[in-house]
Amino acid sequence: MKNNKFTEEKVVEIDNKSLAIYDKIQAALEIFCHDFDLEKPMWFDRNTKELNQISKTFFREDQFIDSIWFDYLEIEILDDSKTKA
């Protein structure tokens, strides 16, 4: 997100039934960051709380070691039957 607009968008599907939802989210985040040449952001308790409440979470600049060129990174779980992290 930059200036309240999506600058890039990607859907990542992790269809491994043996993984817990948290592991699927981490795997998808790793794929996304690799594809967009980003470091993986730090995961805070706030991220878990947001995912459990609204099925999405946001990573702001303070969660990245390097500076970022966007306002924040947003991830959303599209399958709402698996929202508990």
Side-chain angles (χ1 to χ4, degrees):
M1 243 345 163
K2 185 157 180 92
N3 299 323
N4 293 322
K5 294 184 181 176
F6 286 107
T7 59
E8 301 283 341
E9 189 173 339
K10 181 176 184 75
V11 175
V12 177
E13 181 178 355
I14 306 293
D15 192 26
N16 183 338
K17 299 196 187 321
S18 67
L19 290 178
I21 187 64
Y22 177 79
D23 296 325
K24 289 180 182 181
I25 292 165
Q26 291 300 316
L29 187 57
E30 196 167 308
I31 291 167
F32 179 87
C33 288
H34 177 267
D35 290 354
F36 287 99
D37 196 26
L38 291 171
E39 64 181 274
K40 196 170 167 189
M42 292 178 273
W43 189 277
F44 294 156
D45 290 339
R46 173 181 51 78
N47 298 109
T48 301
K49 187 183 296 185
E50 288 172 345
L51 273 176
N52 287 330
Q53 291 176 345
I54 60 173
S55 298
K56 62 177 142 181
T57 190
F58 310 90
F59 299 93
R60 292 161 183 80
E61 189 164 18
D62 66 335
Q63 292 175 269
F64 292 88
I65 294 173
D66 295 330
S67 62
I68 56 175
W69 49 269
F70 46 89
D71 297 331
Y72 62 89
L73 169 65
E74 176 183 323
I75 61 169
E76 180 176 6
I77 298 173
L78 298 177
D79 183 354
D80 62 358
S81 68
K82 301 174 183 169
T83 57
K84 297 297 178 196

